[in-house]
Amino acid sequence: MTQAFAQSRTGWRRKLGVLFVVHYAEMLQYRVEIALWAVATMLPLIMMGVWAQAGESGLFPFSQVLMLRYFIAVYLVWQVTIVWTIHHFEFLVVTGRLSPMLLHPVDPCVRFILMHLAEQGTRLPFALGIVGLFLFLYPDTLTGGEGGDIWWPGWWNITLALAACYFAFILRFFMQYALCMVAFWHERVTALDAIQYLPHLFLSGMVFPFEVLPEPIREVLLWTPFPYTVWFPASLLVHGEAPVLRGFLTMAGWTVAFFILYRVLWHKGLKHYSAMGA
Amino acid sequence: MPTVQADNLSKTFHVADKQPGMLGTLRHFINRSYRAVQAVRDVSFAIEPGEVVGFLGPNGAGKTTTLKMLTGLIHPTSGSVSVLGQVPFKRRPDLLRQVTLVMGQKQQMIWDLPPMESLRVNAAVYGIPEDEARRRIDELAEMLTISDEMTRPVRKLSLGERMKCELMAALIHHPRVLFLDEPTLGLDVNAQTAVRNFLREYNRQHGASILLTSHYMADITALCDRVVMIHKGGLIYDGRLAGVVNRFAPFREVKLELASDADESVMARYGEVESIQGRVVRLLVNRDGLTATVNRLLSEQDVTDLTVSDPPIEEVIGRVFDDGEPGDTDEYTTGADSV
């Protein structure tokens, strides 16, 4: 029994390892595209410029330095939590190229997650380069503006933020993957993604930190999945004052809910699948 | 127990109908109309272990839909399927490890990477150890004569090379049941022969059951003793390949060489004139009156040479698909030639 378990674990490790390495090689084929994506996701760095001025005014609970650090953290979190599976999935369903994946004894979902991780692996070096450039342009982000010590969030905050980032990625993935299942009924499912993109953009903390919102609104939003996909990991990294236990539990609850939704729609959707084009 | 068992398999698709023109476009946008298209109706057959069966039918006959149902990719509207004793739609991993489907040459290969990378993915997905995977890849590449192309990006390969790679990807896990949809489509003559030889050898080595569709009769005659024929969604024949001619061609071909140029109106008195080229005539003569017709020809015409043969199988099958209606099902199937 123990040997069988060990063999199965080794088998899975090899499967995941090979899939990651091959998809990493595939993603590296598109060098220019990777760099462009790193640049195209610079919205938080643009917002940083806007909010840094606001922070200077003293009207908000965040200082200018905290604003700078927050939006750089948001940019980094976004690099890990970008999910594009809906575009890929729609293509696979419409062209029938999902079929060979359905005939493999590994759920396609596992491959899609590994594709994202591989793509992140190729994009992150470019993103870190952009962060380096902004830290050079805004040296106060590191020094606090008074020639003080270099900013260091601490190992505990970094560990929590990293865990929250990848948890946020899994949550974002299943949010979108559940939506992907609609492709079995309606071919142009990417249109639906546009609907959830707006709340994600404005309610996740991407364009403003949650700390600037009135308390009652913030409390309501904290029951939705959106703040945990950006604001929560970024806050853990910047000041560590986010509600850690509540954050992880809420993320777990929403992830399980979207996972169940995806499984139910998956089983129903496969009955509608006509393996078109193949 | 049969490897594949299909019972009264039917599939109906609901497809949107759109009339051409601006009005049709607006109507299609506001009030879309659908119609039911029965792609497959009451198809039943079984495939025994190690059997190679040709699955024939004209375009749109329902062959690919049937293959998709047999592999569990689409659910039948009614009827049942069993492959290796399991229901394919449940997609149990132990069944998926034993079946494969090849459909075209743009399926499994990762377009921008060399075939070797896609094959490594498949080997890992099917849990084949690294050394064993390497050995199988080398063996398959050698059998398909594609060893030198394993490190070139797939997009740089020719159609035939890509098709061979698809076959490798589909067979690396040594499946016991192969569903092959047009595996030689678009290949040159040499590549077609290589694929045929490969499939024959694979069937011999692994005792695999194969269901093969192809528009090239040479594929069927080279590989299959038995054929299942489908037309307009309905089964019209299930039996030995040799039996197709007896069943569907109640005529034989009489080739004559006359002493002088032939006259078509005269020749038409003996049978259906297929062709006349100077002194050489090809006639289709009903089997029942063959002896009498040949006697008449020899006595009434100045014949220098005469041969009687079965018409080519391609021609017979072509005629069946031109003339056959699904309503003919009862007439055609489960006759003396049925297995």
Side-chain angles (χ1 to χ4, degrees):
Chain A
M1 187 74 172
T2 318
Q3 197 185 355
F5 176 71
Q7 274 179 351
S8 155
R9 204 171 55 175
T10 313
W12 267 105
R13 203 180 301 149
R14 178 161 168 263
K15 270 183 201 139
L16 299 179
V18 170
L19 282 169
F20 179 82
V21 168
V22 170
H23 288 309
Y24 186 75
E26 185 187 9
M27 298 299 170
L28 274 186
Q29 297 292 311
Y30 315 111
R31 283 170 295 191
V32 176
E33 193 185 353
I34 298 163
L36 288 176
W37 271 113
V39 172
T41 51
M42 279 173 56
L43 175 72
L45 299 178
I46 295 164
M47 297 313 297
M48 181 175 82
V50 176
W51 282 97
Q53 296 297 319
E56 205 173 13
S57 70
L59 292 171
F60 298 102
F62 264 23
S63 66
Q64 186 188 34
V65 170
L66 269 181
M67 286 289 189
L68 291 171
R69 288 176 185 170
Y70 176 79
F71 281 104
I72 282 186
V74 167
Y75 176 71
L76 283 172
V77 170
W78 203 15
Q79 297 308 311
V80 177
T81 56
I82 290 174
V83 177
W84 38 265
T85 198
I86 201 160
H87 302 274
H88 187 215
F89 194 84
E90 181 187 277
F91 168 76
L92 293 176
V93 171
V94 169
T95 58
R97 293 184 78 164
L98 184 66
S99 302
M101 288 188 175
L102 291 176
L103 293 175
H104 281 172
V106 169
D107 196 295
C109 172
V110 175
R111 281 186 80 158
F112 298 145
I113 290 176
L114 285 164
M115 281 179 193
H116 278 75
L117 293 176
E119 191 265 339
Q120 284 169 18
T122 58
R123 186 164 24 84
L124 268 174
F126 289 95
L128 288 174
I130 290 173
V131 167
L133 177 69
F134 271 78
L135 290 177
F136 176 74
L137 294 174
Y138 296 92
D140 291 357
T141 314
L142 283 176
T143 62
E146 291 144 11
D149 294 337
I150 297 290
W151 170 53
W152 174 247
W155 285 115
W156 178 239
N157 281 4
I158 290 174
T159 309
L160 278 179
L162 211 57
C165 267
Y166 281 96
F167 208 150
F169 162 65
I170 294 296
L171 170 58
R172 280 274 296 141
F173 180 85
F174 282 113
M175 271 173 84
Q176 200 178 84
Y177 201 52
L179 211 56
C180 285
M181 299 301 114
V182 180
F184 288 120
W185 289 271
H186 299 285
E187 287 150 26
R188 293 286 171 256
V189 75
T190 40
L192 285 177
D193 188 50
I195 295 171
Q196 70 93 37
Y197 180 73
L198 275 181
H200 171 69
L201 192 65
F202 287 101
L203 306 179
S204 66
M206 186 104 68
V207 293
F208 52 82
F210 264 46
E211 283 77 1
V212 304
L213 291 174
E215 181 64 29
I217 294 175
R218 199 182 343 167
E219 182 56 30
V220 170
L221 290 178
L222 283 176
W223 287 104
T224 71
F226 302 110
Y228 302 98
T229 59
V230 174
W231 169 80
F232 180 62
S235 296
L236 286 175
L237 185 67
V238 172
H239 51 66
E241 286 171 16
V244 177
L245 186 63
R246 178 182 177 178
F248 279 105
L249 284 176
T250 313
M251 285 166 101
W254 278 110
T255 305
V256 169
F258 284 115
F259 181 82
I260 292 170
L261 181 63
Y262 133 62
R263 290 305 297 179
V264 170
L265 292 175
W266 172 256
H267 286 293
K268 287 185 184 296
L270 282 179
K271 290 181 184 168
H272 275 260
Y273 181 53
S274 59
M276 287 174 280
Chain B
M1 188 178 73
T3 305
V4 177
Q5 177 80 53
D7 290 313
N8 301 316
L9 216 49
S10 296
K11 180 70 186 178
T12 303
F13 291 108
H14 293 275
V15 292
D17 255 345
K18 181 193 168 297
Q19 298 303 314
M22 192 62 182
L23 194 64
T25 302
L26 291 173
R27 199 172 285 155
H28 188 68
F29 179 74
I30 294 162
N31 184 18
R32 207 159 285 190
S33 65
Y34 292 86
R35 68 187 163 95
V37 174
Q38 190 157 26
V40 175
R41 66 181 80 194
D42 289 331
V43 167
S44 302
F45 61 87
I47 301 173
E48 298 299 326
E51 203 176 7
V52 184
V53 179
F55 195 30
L56 303 178
N59 290 331
K63 302 186 298 291
T64 305
T65 304
T66 306
L67 287 187
K68 285 174 184 171
M69 286 193 281
L70 294 176
T71 47
L73 285 177
I74 57 175
H75 285 236
T77 309
S78 63
S80 64
V81 186
S82 157
V83 176
L84 295 169
Q86 297 199 46
V87 179
F89 325 111
K90 293 188 175 171
R91 299 179 54 244
R92 301 236 184 269
D94 57 327
L95 175 65
L96 295 177
R97 284 192 193 94
Q98 299 183 78
V99 299
T100 201
L101 169 69
V102 174
M103 266 200 286
Q105 39 75 36
K106 272 189 179 178
Q107 288 284 306
Q108 300 210 44
M109 291 288 120
I110 299 171
W111 196 242
D112 296 307
L113 295 179
M116 185 58 95
E117 300 283 23
S118 301
L119 296 171
R120 282 184 65 220
V121 165
N122 276 26
V125 158
Y126 286 106
I128 304 163
E130 200 105 37
D131 293 348
E132 175 62 14
R134 183 77 238 185
R135 195 189 63 71
R136 290 187 192 182
I137 290 169
D138 288 346
E139 183 188 312
L140 289 167
E142 197 184 318
M143 285 169 81
L144 283 163
T145 61
I146 195 172
S147 304
D148 296 339
E149 313 303 335
M150 288 291 101
T151 51
R152 270 172 61 195
V154 170
R155 64 168 187 270
K156 300 280 184 192
L157 299 179
S158 70
L159 182 79
E161 287 163 345
R162 284 203 300 271
M163 193 67 232
K164 288 176 180 178
C165 291
E166 286 289 339
L167 275 172
M168 288 179 72
L171 300 179
I172 193 168
H173 57 295
H174 286 176
R176 287 170 59 198
V177 189
L178 278 62
F179 298 103
L180 307 174
D181 194 11
E182 305 283 358
T184 56
L185 189 69
L187 303 192
D188 64 36
V189 177
N190 290 341
Q192 283 180 28
T193 308
V195 169
R196 272 177 220 138
N197 291 340
F198 168 77
L199 290 173
R200 193 184 297 115
E201 186 59 18
Y202 183 88
N203 169 253
R204 195 187 61 77
Q205 275 187 15
H206 300 280
S209 306
I210 301 177
L211 183 62
L212 164 81
T213 80
S214 180
H215 282 113
Y216 299 123
M217 274 312 291
D219 289 346
I220 305 296
T221 50
L223 294 167
C224 313
D225 288 330
R226 178 185 158 204
V227 290
V228 171
M229 285 162 63
I230 186 172
H231 187 44
K232 294 186 180 174
L235 196 79
I236 58 170
Y237 179 78
D238 179 357
R240 302 194 65 76
L241 179 63
V244 172
V245 175
N246 291 334
R247 187 146 193 82
F248 293 109
F251 48 80
R252 299 197 80 188
E253 187 181 80
V254 177
K255 189 177 169 190
L256 297 164
E257 194 176 332
L258 303 174
S260 55
D261 283 354
D263 181 337
E264 187 171 353
S265 60
V266 174
M267 287 295 115
R269 296 206 302 259
Y270 301 99
E272 186 184 330
V273 179
E274 271 200 304
S275 67
I276 295 181
Q277 287 177 326
R279 296 185 296 123
V280 179
V281 185
R282 286 173 70 210
L283 292 173
L284 289 178
V285 179
N286 201 296
R287 281 170 192 274
D288 297 337
L290 181 68
T291 312
T293 306
V294 168
N295 284 338
R296 276 176 54 217
L297 273 165
L298 290 171
S299 59
E300 294 170 9
Q301 301 295 325
D302 194 359
V303 179
T304 57
D305 192 18
L306 184 147
T307 52
V308 179
S309 60
D310 280 326
I313 186 124
E314 292 90 336
E315 231 164 74
V316 176
I317 289 173
R319 277 169 177 257
V320 173
F321 292 148
D322 282 345
D323 304 337
E325 291 293 325
D328 300 336
T329 303
D330 290 338
E331 183 191 331
Y332 286 137
T333 50
T334 62
D337 298 312
S338 295
V339 174

